[in-house]
Amino acid sequence: MNDILACLQKGPEGRLHPISFQTACQARDLSLSSGGEAFGVLIADESSPSLDGELSALGLSCVFVYEHQAFSIFDETIYSEALLDIIEFLSPSAVLIGATPEGRALAPSAAVKLKTGVTADCTALRIDSVGILVQTRPAFGGNVMADIITPYARPQMATVRMGATLIPSQPINGKTRILRRDASRLKLFSGLAKSLLTALEPEEDESQKRVIVAVGAGVREKNDLEMFKRLANLAKAGFMCSRALVERGWMPQGKQIGLSGKAVSPDLLITFGISGSVQFQAGIKGAAKIASVNSDEGAPIFRIADAPLAGDIYEIAPLVIAALEAAASKRRS
Ligand SMILES: Cc1cc2nc3c(=O)[nH]c(=O)nc-3n(C[C@H](O)[C@H](O)[C@H](O)COP(=O)(O)OP(=O)(O)OC[C@H]3O[C@@H](n4cnc5c(N)ncnc54)[C@H](O)[C@@H]3O)c2cc1C
Protein backbone atom coordinates (compact mmCIF):
# COMPACT_ATOMS: atom_id res chain seq x y z
CA MET A 1 0.00 0.00 0.00
CA ASN A 2 3.08 2.30 0.15
CA ASP A 3 4.10 1.52 -3.40
CA ILE A 4 4.61 4.21 -6.01
CA LEU A 5 3.60 3.68 -9.62
CA ALA A 6 5.22 5.66 -12.44
CA CYS A 7 3.17 5.87 -15.61
CA LEU A 8 5.77 5.70 -18.40
CA GLN A 9 5.19 7.15 -21.83
CA LYS A 10 6.41 6.36 -25.29
CA GLY A 11 8.20 9.17 -27.05
CA PRO A 12 9.18 9.92 -30.62
CA GLU A 13 11.30 7.60 -32.78
CA GLY A 14 10.27 4.44 -30.97
CA ARG A 15 12.02 5.38 -27.69
CA LEU A 16 10.80 6.15 -24.21
CA HIS A 17 9.67 9.75 -23.70
CA PRO A 18 12.37 11.63 -21.70
CA ILE A 19 9.78 12.39 -19.01
CA SER A 20 9.53 8.64 -18.33
CA PHE A 21 13.11 8.60 -16.95
CA GLN A 22 12.14 11.46 -14.65
CA THR A 23 8.90 9.88 -13.34
CA ALA A 24 10.70 6.54 -12.84
CA CYS A 25 13.45 8.33 -10.92
CA GLN A 26 10.91 10.19 -8.75
CA ALA A 27 9.00 6.97 -8.06
CA ARG A 28 12.23 5.29 -6.92
CA ASP A 29 13.19 8.20 -4.68
CA LEU A 30 9.71 8.44 -3.13
CA SER A 31 9.54 4.69 -2.51
CA LEU A 32 12.71 4.99 -0.40
CA SER A 33 10.82 7.33 1.96
CA SER A 34 7.46 5.56 1.75
CA GLY A 35 8.93 2.15 2.51
CA GLY A 36 7.25 0.57 -0.52
CA GLU A 37 8.34 -0.48 -3.97
CA ALA A 38 8.53 1.54 -7.18
CA PHE A 39 6.71 0.14 -10.20
CA GLY A 40 6.20 1.33 -13.75
CA VAL A 41 3.44 0.88 -16.29
CA LEU A 42 3.78 1.36 -20.02
CA ILE A 43 0.71 1.52 -22.27
CA ALA A 44 1.75 1.29 -25.89
CA ASP A 45 1.01 -0.12 -29.32
CA GLU A 46 2.48 -3.45 -30.38
CA SER A 47 5.92 -1.98 -31.18
CA SER A 48 6.78 -1.67 -27.48
CA PRO A 49 9.27 -4.64 -27.33
CA SER A 50 11.82 -2.25 -28.85
CA LEU A 51 11.65 -0.32 -25.56
CA ASP A 52 12.59 -3.28 -23.34
CA GLY A 53 16.26 -2.24 -23.17
CA GLU A 54 15.38 1.21 -21.85
CA LEU A 55 12.70 -0.13 -19.50
CA SER A 56 15.01 -2.67 -17.90
CA ALA A 57 17.49 0.06 -16.94
CA LEU A 58 14.97 2.23 -15.04
CA GLY A 59 15.78 0.80 -11.61
CA LEU A 60 12.15 -0.07 -10.82
CA SER A 61 11.00 -3.30 -9.17
CA CYS A 62 8.93 -4.16 -12.23
CA VAL A 63 7.42 -2.51 -15.30
CA PHE A 64 4.01 -3.80 -16.42
CA VAL A 65 3.44 -3.44 -20.15
CA TYR A 66 0.05 -3.27 -21.87
CA GLU A 67 0.27 -3.66 -25.64
CA HIS A 68 -2.65 -3.37 -28.04
CA GLN A 69 -3.38 -1.91 -31.44
CA ALA A 70 -6.02 0.28 -29.77
CA PHE A 71 -3.18 2.17 -28.04
CA SER A 72 -1.62 3.31 -31.32
CA ILE A 73 -3.62 6.58 -31.18
CA PHE A 74 -3.74 8.27 -27.81
CA ASP A 75 -7.21 8.42 -26.28
CA GLU A 76 -7.52 8.99 -22.55
CA THR A 77 -10.66 6.81 -22.29
CA ILE A 78 -8.84 3.83 -23.80
CA TYR A 79 -5.54 4.40 -21.99
CA SER A 80 -7.29 4.84 -18.64
CA GLU A 81 -8.72 1.28 -18.93
CA ALA A 82 -5.15 -0.08 -18.74
CA LEU A 83 -4.10 2.37 -16.04
CA LEU A 84 -7.15 1.48 -13.89
CA ASP A 85 -6.38 -2.22 -14.38
CA ILE A 86 -2.84 -1.92 -13.03
CA ILE A 87 -3.95 0.37 -10.19
CA GLU A 88 -6.53 -2.22 -9.18
CA PHE A 89 -3.86 -4.94 -9.36
CA LEU A 90 -1.14 -3.11 -7.38
CA SER A 91 -3.16 -0.72 -5.15
CA PRO A 92 -0.30 1.79 -5.16
CA SER A 93 -0.28 4.63 -2.68
CA ALA A 94 0.68 7.17 -5.35
CA VAL A 95 0.66 7.38 -9.14
CA LEU A 96 2.97 9.77 -11.01
CA ILE A 97 2.31 10.76 -14.61
CA GLY A 98 4.51 13.01 -16.77
CA ALA A 99 2.77 16.30 -17.58
CA THR A 100 2.84 15.84 -21.34
CA PRO A 101 -0.41 16.69 -23.20
CA GLU A 102 -1.29 12.97 -23.04
CA GLY A 103 -0.42 12.70 -19.34
CA ARG A 104 -2.48 15.80 -18.56
CA ALA A 105 -5.50 14.19 -20.22
CA LEU A 106 -4.97 10.68 -18.82
CA ALA A 107 -4.52 11.62 -15.15
CA PRO A 108 -7.91 13.35 -14.60
CA SER A 109 -9.70 10.75 -16.73
CA ALA A 110 -8.43 7.96 -14.43
CA ALA A 111 -8.78 10.04 -11.24
CA VAL A 112 -12.50 10.67 -11.88
CA LYS A 113 -13.14 6.94 -12.22
CA LEU A 114 -11.11 6.23 -9.06
CA LYS A 115 -12.91 9.02 -7.15
CA THR A 116 -9.58 10.49 -6.12
CA GLY A 117 -7.90 13.83 -6.68
CA VAL A 118 -5.08 14.77 -9.02
CA THR A 119 -2.57 17.58 -8.58
CA ALA A 120 -1.50 18.88 -11.95
CA ASP A 121 1.94 20.12 -12.99
CA CYS A 122 3.85 19.38 -9.79
CA THR A 123 7.37 20.77 -9.61
CA ALA A 124 8.40 18.84 -6.49
CA LEU A 125 7.20 15.77 -4.59
CA ARG A 126 8.09 14.35 -1.19
CA ILE A 127 6.70 11.98 1.41
CA ASP A 128 5.96 13.62 4.77
CA SER A 129 6.51 12.16 8.23
CA VAL A 130 3.15 10.31 8.20
CA GLY A 131 3.66 8.83 4.74
CA ILE A 132 1.51 11.27 2.74
CA LEU A 133 2.64 12.55 -0.65
CA VAL A 134 3.25 16.30 -0.56
CA GLN A 135 2.67 17.67 -4.04
CA THR A 136 4.20 21.10 -4.68
CA ARG A 137 3.02 23.25 -7.57
CA PRO A 138 2.69 26.95 -8.44
CA ALA A 139 -0.70 28.42 -7.51
CA PHE A 140 -2.56 31.72 -7.88
CA GLY A 141 -0.98 32.52 -11.21
CA GLY A 142 2.48 31.40 -10.05
CA ASN A 143 2.63 33.86 -7.14
CA VAL A 144 2.92 31.16 -4.47
CA MET A 145 4.13 27.58 -4.30
CA ALA A 146 1.37 25.45 -2.78
CA ASP A 147 1.88 22.14 -0.97
CA ILE A 148 -1.14 19.99 -1.79
CA ILE A 149 -2.01 16.71 -0.10
CA THR A 150 -4.66 14.07 -0.69
CA PRO A 151 -5.29 12.96 2.89
CA TYR A 152 -7.94 10.24 2.41
CA ALA A 153 -8.59 9.14 -1.19
CA ARG A 154 -6.16 6.69 -2.79
CA PRO A 155 -4.16 6.57 -4.91
CA GLN A 156 -2.65 10.03 -4.60
CA MET A 157 -2.24 11.17 -8.20
CA ALA A 158 0.09 13.81 -9.58
CA THR A 159 1.25 14.92 -12.97
CA VAL A 160 4.85 16.11 -12.89
CA ARG A 161 6.44 18.83 -14.93
CA MET A 162 9.38 18.00 -17.14
CA GLY A 163 12.66 18.95 -15.54
CA ALA A 164 11.46 18.60 -11.95
CA THR A 165 14.06 15.93 -10.95
CA LEU A 166 16.48 14.16 -13.22
CA ILE A 167 19.29 12.98 -11.00
CA PRO A 168 18.53 9.82 -8.99
CA SER A 169 19.50 10.19 -5.35
CA GLN A 170 20.64 6.52 -5.28
CA PRO A 171 22.59 4.61 -7.95
CA ILE A 172 20.46 2.28 -10.05
CA ASN A 173 21.25 -1.35 -9.24
CA GLY A 174 19.83 -4.41 -10.91
CA LYS A 175 17.65 -4.99 -13.90
CA THR A 176 13.98 -4.00 -13.91
CA ARG A 177 11.67 -6.95 -14.54
CA ILE A 178 9.28 -6.51 -17.47
CA LEU A 179 5.90 -8.23 -17.28
CA ARG A 180 3.39 -8.12 -20.12
CA ARG A 181 -0.27 -7.91 -19.07
CA ASP A 182 -3.04 -9.14 -21.32
CA ALA A 183 -4.62 -6.00 -22.79
CA SER A 184 -7.12 -7.88 -24.96
CA ARG A 185 -9.42 -8.50 -21.95
CA LEU A 186 -9.77 -4.75 -21.22
CA LYS A 187 -12.93 -2.89 -22.28
CA LEU A 188 -11.13 -0.98 -24.99
CA PHE A 189 -13.74 -0.91 -27.68
CA SER A 190 -16.20 1.62 -26.31
CA GLY A 191 -13.28 4.02 -26.07
CA LEU A 192 -12.04 3.03 -29.51
CA ALA A 193 -15.44 3.78 -31.04
CA LYS A 194 -15.37 7.21 -29.43
CA SER A 195 -11.90 7.97 -30.76
CA LEU A 196 -12.85 6.83 -34.27
CA LEU A 197 -15.90 9.07 -34.20
CA THR A 198 -13.76 11.97 -33.05
CA ALA A 199 -11.33 11.30 -35.88
CA LEU A 200 -14.21 11.24 -38.39
CA GLU A 201 -15.88 14.33 -37.03
CA PRO A 202 -13.11 16.56 -35.70
CA GLU A 203 -14.54 19.11 -33.31
CA GLU A 204 -14.14 22.68 -34.49
CA ASP A 205 -11.83 24.73 -32.29
CA GLU A 206 -14.24 27.31 -30.87
CA SER A 207 -11.39 29.40 -29.47
CA GLN A 208 -10.23 30.30 -33.01
CA LYS A 209 -13.55 31.85 -34.13
CA ARG A 210 -13.73 35.58 -34.91
CA VAL A 211 -16.74 35.98 -32.63
CA ILE A 212 -17.01 34.10 -29.32
CA VAL A 213 -20.02 33.90 -27.00
CA ALA A 214 -18.97 32.98 -23.45
CA VAL A 215 -21.31 32.06 -20.61
CA GLY A 216 -20.74 31.92 -16.88
CA ALA A 217 -22.29 31.20 -13.50
CA GLY A 218 -25.18 33.57 -14.29
CA VAL A 219 -26.71 30.67 -16.24
CA ARG A 220 -29.10 29.04 -13.77
CA GLU A 221 -29.88 25.61 -15.28
CA LYS A 222 -27.90 23.30 -17.55
CA ASN A 223 -30.80 23.24 -20.04
CA ASP A 224 -30.59 27.03 -20.34
CA LEU A 225 -27.26 26.60 -22.14
CA GLU A 226 -29.26 25.65 -25.25
CA MET A 227 -30.55 29.22 -25.56
CA PHE A 228 -27.02 30.68 -25.49
CA LYS A 229 -25.75 27.98 -27.84
CA ARG A 230 -28.50 28.92 -30.26
CA LEU A 231 -27.48 32.56 -30.01
CA ALA A 232 -23.85 31.57 -30.73
CA ASN A 233 -24.90 29.44 -33.74
CA LEU A 234 -26.96 32.26 -35.22
CA ALA A 235 -23.98 34.61 -34.80
CA LYS A 236 -21.66 31.94 -36.30
CA ALA A 237 -19.72 32.32 -33.08
CA GLY A 238 -17.68 29.95 -30.92
CA PHE A 239 -19.41 28.89 -27.71
CA MET A 240 -17.21 28.94 -24.61
CA CYS A 241 -17.46 29.54 -20.87
CA SER A 242 -15.88 30.57 -17.59
CA ARG A 243 -14.48 27.94 -15.22
CA ALA A 244 -17.66 28.08 -13.11
CA LEU A 245 -19.55 26.04 -15.71
CA VAL A 246 -16.72 23.53 -16.18
CA GLU A 247 -16.72 23.00 -12.41
CA ARG A 248 -20.47 22.33 -12.54
CA GLY A 249 -19.77 19.70 -15.20
CA TRP A 250 -21.98 21.52 -17.74
CA MET A 251 -19.26 22.39 -20.26
CA PRO A 252 -16.07 20.51 -21.23
CA GLN A 253 -12.72 21.83 -20.00
CA GLY A 254 -11.64 22.48 -23.60
CA LYS A 255 -14.20 25.31 -23.78
CA GLN A 256 -12.95 27.14 -20.70
CA ILE A 257 -11.45 30.59 -21.20
CA GLY A 258 -8.84 31.90 -18.76
CA LEU A 259 -5.65 31.31 -16.86
CA SER A 260 -6.21 27.58 -16.50
CA GLY A 261 -8.19 27.37 -19.76
CA LYS A 262 -7.66 28.81 -23.23
CA ALA A 263 -6.50 32.28 -24.23
CA VAL A 264 -8.73 33.71 -26.96
CA SER A 265 -8.30 36.67 -29.31
CA PRO A 266 -11.54 37.10 -31.29
CA ASP A 267 -12.65 40.30 -33.02
CA LEU A 268 -15.65 40.27 -30.66
CA LEU A 269 -16.20 38.51 -27.35
CA ILE A 270 -19.72 38.56 -25.88
CA THR A 271 -20.02 37.43 -22.26
CA PHE A 272 -23.25 36.49 -20.48
CA GLY A 273 -23.32 36.19 -16.68
CA ILE A 274 -19.54 36.27 -16.21
CA SER A 275 -18.17 38.47 -13.41
CA GLY A 276 -14.71 38.91 -14.96
CA SER A 277 -12.36 37.43 -12.36
CA VAL A 278 -8.62 38.08 -12.84
CA GLN A 279 -8.23 34.45 -13.93
CA PHE A 280 -10.95 34.83 -16.61
CA GLN A 281 -9.48 38.16 -17.76
CA ALA A 282 -6.07 36.47 -18.20
CA GLY A 283 -7.58 34.59 -21.15
CA ILE A 284 -9.24 37.49 -22.96
CA LYS A 285 -6.42 40.03 -23.24
CA GLY A 286 -6.26 39.46 -27.00
CA ALA A 287 -9.98 40.18 -27.65
CA ALA A 288 -10.36 43.25 -29.89
CA LYS A 289 -13.83 44.20 -28.55
CA ILE A 290 -15.75 42.94 -25.53
CA ALA A 291 -19.51 43.18 -24.99
CA SER A 292 -20.74 42.00 -21.57
CA VAL A 293 -24.15 41.37 -20.10
CA ASN A 294 -24.33 41.31 -16.32
CA SER A 295 -27.00 42.29 -13.79
CA ASP A 296 -24.37 43.71 -11.42
CA GLU A 297 -23.14 47.11 -12.55
CA GLY A 298 -20.12 46.73 -10.28
CA ALA A 299 -18.95 43.48 -11.95
CA PRO A 300 -15.20 43.65 -12.79
CA ILE A 301 -15.95 42.70 -16.42
CA PHE A 302 -17.62 46.11 -16.88
CA ARG A 303 -14.31 47.83 -16.18
CA ILE A 304 -12.79 46.32 -19.33
CA ALA A 305 -15.89 45.87 -21.56
CA ASP A 306 -16.22 48.12 -24.61
CA ALA A 307 -19.99 47.55 -24.50
CA PRO A 308 -21.19 46.94 -20.90
CA LEU A 309 -24.88 45.97 -20.85
CA ALA A 310 -26.40 46.04 -17.35
CA GLY A 311 -29.35 43.66 -17.32
CA ASP A 312 -30.68 40.15 -16.95
CA ILE A 313 -29.16 37.65 -19.38
CA TYR A 314 -32.54 35.87 -19.52
CA GLU A 315 -34.16 39.04 -20.87
CA ILE A 316 -31.33 40.19 -23.14
CA ALA A 317 -30.37 36.86 -24.80
CA PRO A 318 -33.90 36.26 -26.29
CA LEU A 319 -33.85 39.82 -27.69
CA VAL A 320 -30.46 39.21 -29.33
CA ILE A 321 -31.70 35.88 -30.73
CA ALA A 322 -34.80 37.55 -32.18
CA ALA A 323 -32.66 40.27 -33.78
CA LEU A 324 -30.26 37.70 -35.27
CA GLU A 325 -33.17 35.61 -36.61
CA ALA A 326 -34.74 38.70 -38.18
CA ALA A 327 -31.43 39.62 -39.81
CA ALA A 328 -30.98 36.04 -41.11
CA SER A 329 -34.48 35.88 -42.64
CA LYS A 330 -33.97 39.31 -44.24
CA ARG A 331 -30.73 38.04 -45.82
CA ARG A 332 -32.59 34.95 -47.19
CA SER A 333 -35.47 36.97 -48.74
C1 LIG B 1 -5.72 28.99 -9.89
C2 LIG B 1 -7.06 29.40 -10.44
C3 LIG B 1 -7.23 29.35 -11.80
C4 LIG B 1 -8.47 29.74 -12.34
N1 LIG B 1 -8.64 29.70 -13.69
C5 LIG B 1 -9.79 30.16 -14.21
C6 LIG B 1 -9.98 30.20 -15.63
O1 LIG B 1 -9.12 29.77 -16.42
N2 LIG B 1 -11.14 30.67 -16.10
C7 LIG B 1 -12.16 31.15 -15.27
O2 LIG B 1 -13.20 31.57 -15.78
N3 LIG B 1 -11.99 31.10 -13.95
C8 LIG B 1 -10.87 30.60 -13.39
N4 LIG B 1 -10.75 30.55 -12.05
C9 LIG B 1 -11.96 30.81 -11.22
C10 LIG B 1 -12.22 32.29 -11.03
O3 LIG B 1 -11.56 32.76 -9.87
C11 LIG B 1 -13.74 32.55 -10.87
O4 LIG B 1 -14.22 31.75 -9.82
C12 LIG B 1 -14.55 32.27 -12.14
O5 LIG B 1 -13.98 32.94 -13.24
C13 LIG B 1 -15.98 32.75 -11.91
O6 LIG B 1 -16.75 32.45 -13.03
P1 LIG B 1 -18.01 33.34 -13.38
O7 LIG B 1 -17.61 34.73 -13.69
O8 LIG B 1 -18.79 32.60 -14.41
O9 LIG B 1 -18.86 33.24 -12.02
P2 LIG B 1 -19.17 34.34 -10.93
O10 LIG B 1 -17.95 35.02 -10.46
O11 LIG B 1 -20.03 33.68 -9.90
O12 LIG B 1 -20.03 35.42 -11.70
C14 LIG B 1 -21.33 35.22 -12.16
C15 LIG B 1 -21.82 36.56 -12.65
O13 LIG B 1 -23.09 36.40 -13.24
C16 LIG B 1 -23.88 37.52 -12.92
N5 LIG B 1 -25.28 37.12 -13.00
C17 LIG B 1 -25.95 36.20 -12.24
N6 LIG B 1 -27.21 36.04 -12.68
C18 LIG B 1 -27.36 36.89 -13.73
C19 LIG B 1 -28.43 37.19 -14.60
N7 LIG B 1 -29.61 36.54 -14.52
N8 LIG B 1 -28.24 38.12 -15.54
C20 LIG B 1 -27.06 38.76 -15.67
N9 LIG B 1 -25.98 38.50 -14.88
C21 LIG B 1 -26.15 37.57 -13.93
C22 LIG B 1 -23.46 37.92 -11.51
O14 LIG B 1 -23.74 39.30 -11.29
C23 LIG B 1 -21.96 37.62 -11.55
O15 LIG B 1 -21.21 38.77 -11.89
C24 LIG B 1 -9.53 30.16 -11.49
C25 LIG B 1 -9.33 30.20 -10.12
C26 LIG B 1 -8.12 29.83 -9.60
C27 LIG B 1 -7.93 29.89 -8.11
Side-chain angles (χ1 to χ4, degrees):
M1 202 47 192
N2 299 325
D3 300 337
I4 315 288
L5 175 66
C7 185
L8 310 167
Q9 299 175 40
K10 211 175 143 182
E13 292 161 20
R15 309 212 35 196
L16 270 187
H17 192 291
I19 206 158
S20 298
F21 297 98
Q22 179 187 311
T23 39
C25 181
Q26 285 172 310
R28 288 177 61 245
D29 280 0
L30 291 171
S31 69
L32 296 176
S33 335
S34 73
E37 286 187 74
F39 295 104
V41 58
L42 177 74
I43 305 163
D45 60 13
E46 284 140 329
S47 65
S48 75
S50 62
L51 300 172
D52 283 6
E54 287 182 296
L55 292 176
S56 62
L58 288 176
L60 300 171
S61 298
C62 180
V63 172
F64 298 90
V65 178
Y66 290 82
E67 289 165 332
H68 198 283
Q69 213 186 346
F71 299 135
S72 52
I73 302 170
F74 175 77
D75 180 303
E76 67 274 17
T77 340
I78 302 177
Y79 270 55
S80 64
E81 289 297 335
L83 184 57
L84 294 173
D85 185 73
I86 197 65
I87 289 173
E88 192 185 333
F89 180 67
L90 293 174
S91 297
S93 166
V95 178
L96 315 183
I97 304 181
T100 59
E102 291 80 10
R104 287 184 174 131
L106 177 60
S109 172
V112 163
K113 290 174 188 154
L114 292 161
K115 294 192 170 46
T116 186
V118 55
T119 305
D121 275 351
C122 295
T123 52
L125 297 168
R126 67 183 164 83
I127 303 285
D128 74 6
S129 56
V130 287
I132 286 183
L133 181 68
V134 180
Q135 305 155 97
T136 306
R137 58 149 297 155
F140 298 109
N143 292 326
V144 291
M145 295 304 281
D147 282 348
I148 297 169
I149 58 165
T150 312
Y152 307 114
R154 290 291 176 273
Q156 305 157 93
M157 291 188 74
T159 65
V160 286
R161 257 188 220 182
M162 183 71 188
T165 310
L166 281 173
I167 316 290
S169 62
Q170 302 278 318
I172 294 175
N173 294 318
K175 239 177 140 187
T176 300
R177 270 195 315 151
I178 300 172
L179 280 179
R180 292 195 146 69
R181 302 256 306 163
D182 179 12
S184 62
R185 69 198 158 75
L186 302 176
K187 287 181 265 152
L188 301 175
F189 291 100
S190 54
L192 189 61
K194 185 191 148 223
S195 76
L196 283 173
L197 279 174
T198 317
L200 289 172
E201 297 166 24
E203 232 179 65
E204 232 182 319
D205 188 349
E206 312 269 331
S207 66
Q208 301 302 316
K209 295 263 192 153
R210 294 181 61 192
V211 180
I212 293 175
V213 170
V215 287
V219 177
R220 285 194 289 264
E221 304 277 337
K222 189 177 180 194
N223 284 345
D224 300 345
L225 287 176
E226 288 307 315
M227 172 169 71
F228 297 96
K229 210 170 176 180
R230 172 154 177 71
L231 189 156
N233 284 343
L234 284 164
K236 299 195 179 5
F239 185 52
M240 299 187 74
C241 62
S242 70
R243 185 156 117 175
L245 296 195
V246 176
E247 283 173 353
R248 285 183 197 169
W250 293 1
M251 295 278 282
Q253 214 277 331
K255 303 223 180 206
Q256 179 188 317
I257 295 175
L259 184 69
S260 54
K262 286 188 173 156
V264 294
S265 43
D267 295 341
L268 174 64
L269 171 74
I270 313 170
T271 70
F272 287 95
I274 290 180
S275 60
S277 63
V278 280
Q279 293 87 359
F280 180 79
Q281 288 191 30
I284 60 169
K285 292 196 187 331
K289 289 262 180 291
I290 301 171
S292 295
V293 185
N294 198 305
S295 48
D296 173 11
E297 287 183 24
I301 195 83
F302 280 176
R303 293 204 280 275
I304 57 158
D306 302 281
L309 268 167
D312 190 327
I313 56 171
Y314 286 89
E315 284 170 18
I316 293 173
L319 297 177
V320 179
I321 290 174
L324 287 168
E325 280 173 340
S329 78
K330 208 165 162 194
R331 262 204 309 274
R332 279 197 299 272
S333 58

